[in-house]
């Protein structure tokens, strides 16, 4: 994708690639699909899968990834794969996991860690899969309103998969969650907006705000630059996807690497603005803490003090899903193309949704008057809950600040992490001093530091 300034060769993440320019309600939560982002071709090998006869659920004793045919209406021409662990009980939660471009359901099953926690905590996972017949790079079409809106195309196909899981596996319709990577994350955001009555929560990994683009041409702009919308405008894009719905809203986790040059970090800030506004809560974090893998977690609480939106910023990570191979409690997954070793995002997402507790997390009735106050630049620094150490200062070129994870790039310009203060062109000639006032939150401090 084009940048407005020359990019040092060493600044490009090995994971970065260019996407192609791209009245009655049912009693339970209805379902939907988010379109995927177009990413670079991944050379991943697909492994063999067991095909289940039409209408028949996979055998639970097998504890393997199985294809299901005849799951219902399929206007999006998607394939359905499911993983039902041994001993999965009636009324268990359901997770829908969406792969990235040119990946397959098997890739996501093999590397993401979702099957590991499904075994441990007893929930079912559905892995939708698209193909090159739908998109040249096997991307979900997150930017196409004929495919990524309620009742249409890929979104409706995913909704049918959820219905199938509820009827055949006994999945709890009140505990259905959706997550995705890259293009799958774009579709995830759309699904949360299209079907807030279906999904109790979502996780958007290296993705974009719901309905950021409605054409393939506009998709590139969404990926690489700020759209200059207020939180209220972002919130309206989500609310207008299912007019008349008033809540409860999905709980949303946002994962983003600071060195992602495929889906730029500004998208994480826009996602935060969108979903905090939908919830009617502040865009200023209620608390922050530092996790492993250079990760900063910012939590945005609802009116009752319960986490409604969580944003995870991973210093130095490029485009991909964060995994952490190993046998520790909070470790999972395996590395591969676009599966990057930093932190087990799947573990933190699953616990955020309450999948480890056997009961859903508490929810708060939505605000009837969404917030219409836009965030300011710079925003108010969050209060650190993890460190009382004095502020530390770092003087370096804009390029080196981004490499160190203290700033990010959008459309060739540099912005400080946390405060979003503009630092000028992204190169080695412009130098700034950044002060870290709380973990992962930097302000320009060219003097008095």
């Amino acid at each position: 994708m084009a940048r407005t300034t020359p990019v040092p060769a060493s600044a490009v993440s090995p994971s970065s690639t260019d996407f192609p320019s791209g009245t009655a309600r049912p009693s339970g939560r209805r379902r939907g699909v988010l379109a995927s982002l177009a990413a670079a071709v991944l050379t991943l090998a697909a492994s063999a899968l067991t095909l289940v006869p039409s209408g028949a659920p996979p055998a639970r004793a097998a504890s393997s990834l199985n294809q299901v045919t005849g799951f219902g209406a399929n206007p999006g021409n998607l394939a359905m794969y499911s993983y039902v662990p041994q001993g999965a009980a009636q009324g268990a939660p359901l997770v829908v996991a969406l792969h990235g471009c040119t990946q397959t359901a098997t890739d996501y099953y093999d590397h993401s860690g979702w099957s590991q926690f499904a075994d441990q905590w007893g929930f079912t996972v559905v892995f939708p899969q698209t193909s090159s017949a739908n998109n040249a790079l096997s991307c979900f079409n997150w930017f196409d309103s004929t495919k990524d809106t309620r009742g249409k195309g890929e979104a409706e196909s995913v909704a049918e998969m959820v219905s199938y899981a509820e009827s055949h596996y006994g999945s709890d319709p009140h505990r259905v969650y959706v997550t995705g990577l890259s293009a799958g994350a774009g579709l995830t955001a759309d699904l949360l907006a299209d079907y807030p009555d279906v999904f109790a929560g979502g996780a958007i990994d290296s993705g974009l705000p719901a309905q950021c683009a409605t054409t393939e041409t506009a998709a590139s702009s969404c990926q690489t630059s700020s759209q200059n919308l207020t939180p209220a405008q972002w919130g309206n894009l989500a609310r207008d996807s299912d007019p008349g719905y008033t809540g409860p809203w999905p709980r949303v986790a946002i994962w983003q690497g600071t060195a992602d040059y495929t889906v730029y970090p500004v998208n994480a800030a826009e996602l935060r603005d969108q979903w905090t506004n939908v919830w009617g809560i502040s865009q200023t974090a209620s608390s922050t803490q530092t996790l492993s893998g250079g990760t900063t977690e910012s939590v945005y609480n609802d009116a009752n003090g319960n986490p409604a939106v969580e944003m995870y910023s991973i210093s130095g990570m490029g485009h991909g899903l964060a995994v952490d191979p190993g046998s520790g409690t909070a470790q999972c997954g395996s590395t591969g193309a676009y599966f990057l070793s930093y932190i087990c995002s799947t573990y933190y997402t699953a616990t955020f949704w309450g999948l480890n507790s056997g009961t859903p997390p508490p929810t708060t009735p939505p605000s009837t008057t969404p917030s219409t106050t836009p965030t300011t630049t710079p925003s108010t620094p969050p209060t650190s809950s993890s460190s009382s150490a004095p502020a530390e200062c770092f003087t370096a070129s804009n390029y080196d600040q981004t490499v160190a994870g203290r700033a990010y790039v959008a459309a060739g310009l540099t912005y400080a992490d946390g405060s979003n203060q503009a630092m000028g062109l992204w190169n080695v000639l412009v130098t700034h001093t950044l002060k870290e006032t709380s973990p992962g939150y930097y302000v320009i401090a060219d003097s008095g530091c």
Side-chain angles (χ1 to χ4, degrees):
M1 63 193 76
R3 293 184 176 86
T4 56
T5 55
V7 180
S10 60
V12 180
S13 164
S15 301
S16 67
T17 58
D18 293 340
F19 287 7
S21 53
T23 300
R25 295 183 184 276
S27 57
R29 287 179 168 259
R30 275 200 40 94
R31 358 195 108 58
V33 177
L34 288 184
S36 331
L37 294 169
V41 177
L42 311 177
T43 54
L44 302 174
S47 62
L49 297 166
T50 304
L51 186 65
V52 176
S54 177
R60 296 194 180 199
S63 287
S64 59
L65 184 64
N66 296 285
Q67 184 174 0
V68 179
T69 61
F71 56 83
N74 188 16
N77 191 33
L78 302 181
M80 174 182 177
Y81 295 87
S82 62
Y83 180 75
V84 185
Q86 295 185 38
Q90 291 285 312
L94 172 67
V95 173
V96 177
L98 298 156
H99 63 77
C101 292
T102 70
Q103 292 180 325
T104 64
T106 304
D107 298 324
Y108 220 61
Y109 168 81
D110 286 343
H111 293 287
S112 66
W114 278 110
S115 60
Q116 170 187 327
F117 294 114
D119 285 336
Q120 185 174 338
W121 295 325
F123 57 85
T124 295
V125 188
V126 165
F127 295 88
Q129 179 176 291
T130 187
S131 69
S132 58
N134 293 344
N135 180 287
L137 294 179
S138 296
C139 304
F140 293 104
N141 292 291
W142 61 273
F143 48 81
D144 187 338
S145 60
T146 67
K147 300 175 182 178
D148 71 346
T149 50
R150 187 180 180 107
K152 297 180 180 179
E154 296 172 350
E156 180 58 25
S157 293
V158 173
E160 295 288 340
M161 294 179 196
V162 174
S163 294
Y164 180 94
E166 290 174 358
S167 61
H168 287 76
Y169 310 142
S171 300
D172 184 348
H174 301 289
R175 290 192 291 168
V176 180
Y177 305 89
V178 61
T179 182
L181 164 64
S182 190
L187 180 56
T188 293
D190 288 341
L191 284 170
L192 292 172
D194 295 340
Y195 298 94
D197 51 333
V198 172
F199 297 104
I204 302 161
D205 295 85
S206 301
L208 304 94
Q211 304 304 333
C212 182
T214 57
T215 66
E216 191 172 0
T217 301
S220 179
S221 175
C222 284
Q223 290 169 218
T224 60
S225 60
S226 171
Q227 301 306 294
N228 299 313
L229 300 182
T230 67
Q233 289 172 320
W234 281 120
N236 286 338
L237 286 177
R239 283 184 290 268
D240 292 347
S241 297
D242 187 14
Y245 183 78
T246 59
W249 299 105
R251 304 171 77 243
V252 180
I254 302 159
W255 291 85
Q256 180 69 50
T258 64
D260 189 339
Y261 306 119
T262 299
V263 177
Y264 280 39
V266 68
N267 285 280
E270 292 172 335
L271 279 162
R272 173 207 59 201
D273 289 352
Q274 182 171 66
W275 290 103
T276 53
N277 182 263
V278 166
W279 274 83
I281 59 179
S282 173
Q283 283 76 56
T284 299
S286 304
S287 64
T288 65
Q289 66 172 323
T290 301
L291 305 175
S292 63
T295 305
T296 299
E297 176 195 44
S298 300
V299 180
Y300 303 82
N301 291 339
D302 65 16
N304 286 345
N306 300 314
V309 177
E310 293 189 352
M311 184 166 68
Y312 300 83
S313 177
I314 305 175
S315 179
M317 191 180 87
H319 188 64
L321 180 74
V323 297
D324 185 15
S327 57
T329 301
Q331 290 184 288
C332 73
S334 59
T335 57
Y338 297 93
F339 295 96
L340 310 177
S341 183
Y342 283 85
I343 186 174
C344 176
S345 58
T346 299
Y347 171 83
Y348 287 95
T349 293
T351 54
F352 172 50
W353 292 339
L355 298 183
N356 60 322
S357 66
T359 57
T363 58
T364 299
S367 168
T368 56
T369 305
S371 169
T372 58
T373 303
T375 52
T376 59
T377 302
S379 58
T380 304
T383 301
S384 171
S385 61
S386 62
S387 175
S388 57
E392 188 174 359
C393 293
F394 305 88
T395 301
S397 70
N398 281 357
Y399 166 71
D400 288 327
Q401 296 283 22
T402 63
V403 171
R406 297 184 288 266
Y408 64 90
V409 184
L413 299 177
T414 312
Y415 299 87
D417 276 3
S419 69
N420 301 317
Q421 286 180 297
M423 299 166 58
L425 293 175
W426 186 52
N427 58 34
V428 296
L429 302 178
V430 180
T431 298
H432 282 289
T433 298
L434 294 180
K435 178 187 291 186
E436 186 176 22
T437 59
S438 61
Y441 193 100
Y442 298 89
V443 297
I444 296 175
D446 286 335
S447 61
C449 196

